[in-house]
Amino acid sequence: MTAAEELEVIEKVRGGDTDAFEALVTDNQKKVYNLALQMLGSENDALDISQEAFIKAYTSLQGFRGECRFSVWLYRLTYNICIDYLRKKQRTPVSSLTYLDDDGEYADLEIPDMRYEPGCEAEKRELREALEKGIEELLPKHREIIIMREMTGMSYEEIARTLGINEGTVKSRLSRARQSLVLLLNSYGTFTKNSRHNGSKEVEKHG
Amino acid sequence: MAECSKYLELISAYVDNELSGDKKKELEQHLEGCAACRSILSAYLGINEAAHEAMAEPPESLATGVMDRLRQLPAEPHAAVSKLKHKSTLKPVIISFIAAAACLALVFVAAPQLLRSGIRQDVAGSAASVNEAASEENALFSEKAQADSAGSDMAADNAGQSSLSGQSADAVPKLATSSKDAESSSGLTAAQPTSSDTTSKIAGSEDTSKYCAVIWIDGQLPDILQNYQMTETDDGTFRIEVSAEEAKTLMAAGSYVFVNGSEDALTALVIYTPAG
């Protein structure tokens, strides 16, 4: 949905068309659900919290001024509900290993000098499992920020406003979160297993 | 390898498409000559891709659960009133005074025989009319409270607002002004055009002198009306004709917005808007 389409739907809903809201649900539910799932670790909790986020978005629709995309507003809402929920349950996100402190040194980040590219489904699944494990072992604020970036695709600016930090901090924190993840995956042997030699594909992809 | 540390953050931003211009060119140039950094980029991209592939499909019950609950959201007067604590509570009080005054005026206009018969003789009658005024006031107050609140049920807000504006055609000009003030302050910007459309429809098509009352019911049709003959209109509402007795029961319930029509009429009109 484009920003304009979002606003159209919102106007309809404000005009009394409750059913129109369903388009916003369908469009955003995957990201909302996965954000909640990663933050809470439980499918049931994720379902409950996701529904609560949509309902709250609906009932607070008057307060949405359109200063950002509805979807971003919704992800922010979801994140805040998750934080409140975790606080109430006195659950702190898991972090068993402190691989890197906040000022990780590059010297530690030795990974094999090969291009990492999982080929078949089995390799991809291995990577996903390793990733899941690795994310769980990150420092809480690293875990949170990488989840937020990877699950919702929010820009650095949007993440900055959601977390109440400045963009520079988002940039550096994400960088350190990734460094930690790579170290962790390396320790599981993920990168050594499935490396290929390739040309400079990555540079072209982002060119 | 330590000299590449400054590129780590750039690589991370590059993966997120947050790198542009000079910094981007600088990184791309460096990557061409640095295998270690290419490995890092490759690992970050692998993580990014895996994270997206790992995203679960939400269960179907997510969307259906949300929509079910939204459609059930009631237009409850007491629920709306409790939201008032976040807003100024002065306006509804003022409006209810005006509404009460207007209602009493309406009662005396509509039922002049009360004045003639005298209070001693027609105690029952006047008590009934005071109750009527009170319930009318409650209906209006609760409707205003809905308009002022964050608004959980947009449909009810609209029906409520349009009924008030419709009422303004019945010689209660003060009420119309105050309702307009409430409308503009409630922040329902997008709702305005729609409610005036409905208003003109109701004011135009409803001949209130034909009926003793016109009652608006939204969402849940009460049991007593379940088996009634309904006619569907262009705007998706249904018209039901009920007896004056039934109308009195509905109005006394206090849950519906209504306007009084002609005392002599034996039937009332219910305008029913189904949920969703």
Side-chain angles (χ1 to χ4, degrees), chain A residues 17-161:
Chain A
D17 186 355
T18 302
D19 279 334
F21 193 75
E22 191 160 8
L24 293 171
V25 177
T26 318
D27 225 51
N28 291 293
Q29 60 175 342
K30 190 168 182 178
K31 289 183 176 177
V32 167
Y33 179 72
N34 280 281
L35 176 61
L37 185 59
Q38 289 298 322
M39 291 204 53
L40 306 173
S42 142
E43 281 176 8
N44 285 334
D45 288 347
L47 179 60
D48 287 343
I49 295 298
S50 299
Q51 289 182 330
E52 196 182 315
F54 279 112
I55 291 166
K56 203 161 184 187
Y58 176 90
T59 57
S60 326
L61 207 56
Q62 304 292 36
F64 174 64
R65 304 256 173 262
E67 72 279 15
C68 64
R69 291 280 310 251
F70 171 83
S71 49
V72 171
W73 185 66
L74 178 64
Y75 305 147
R76 198 166 289 153
L77 191 56
T78 309
Y79 169 77
N80 288 324
I81 296 175
C82 287
I83 292 294
D84 284 345
Y85 183 79
L86 288 171
R87 198 175 291 140
K88 275 189 203 139
K89 294 236 160 183
Q90 287 179 332
R91 259 199 265 156
T92 46
V94 174
S95 172
S96 49
L97 287 175
T98 324
Y99 237 89
L100 274 183
D101 61 40
D102 230 19
D103 306 312
E105 289 296 311
Y106 181 70
D108 290 323
L109 200 69
E110 302 263 357
I111 71 167
D113 178 20
M114 283 183 250
R115 208 54 51 77
Y116 182 72
E117 231 168 71
C120 63
E121 265 315 301
E123 289 168 346
K124 286 190 175 181
R125 193 173 32 86
E126 263 178 51
L127 174 57
R128 285 198 295 271
E129 283 168 9
L131 184 60
E132 211 171 304
K133 187 170 172 210
I135 284 182
E136 254 179 67
E137 293 187 354
L138 285 173
L139 286 173
K141 54 183 181 176
H142 287 171
R143 185 165 171 274
E144 215 172 70
I145 203 167
I146 193 109
I147 285 171
M148 190 166 290
R149 169 61 209 177
E150 300 291 12
M151 293 297 106
T152 69
M154 282 199 271
S155 71
Y156 284 10
E157 193 202 331
E158 288 159 352
I159 293 175
R161 285 177 57 194

Side-chain angles (χ1 to χ4, degrees), chain B residues 8 17 24 31 42 56 120 130-131 163 180 193 211 236 247 263 275:
Chain B
L8 277 183
N17 282 313
K24 189 174 177 184
L31 284 170
S42 152
R120 271 182 315 160
V130 166
N131 282 339
S163 77
K180 280 266 175 324
Y211 300 106
E263 266 267 306

Side-chain angles (χ1 to χ4, degrees), chain B residues 201 231-239:
Chain B
K201 267 192 202 150
T231 44
E232 194 173 2
T233 59
D234 294 6
D235 55 340
T237 59
F238 294 82
R239 296 160 64 93

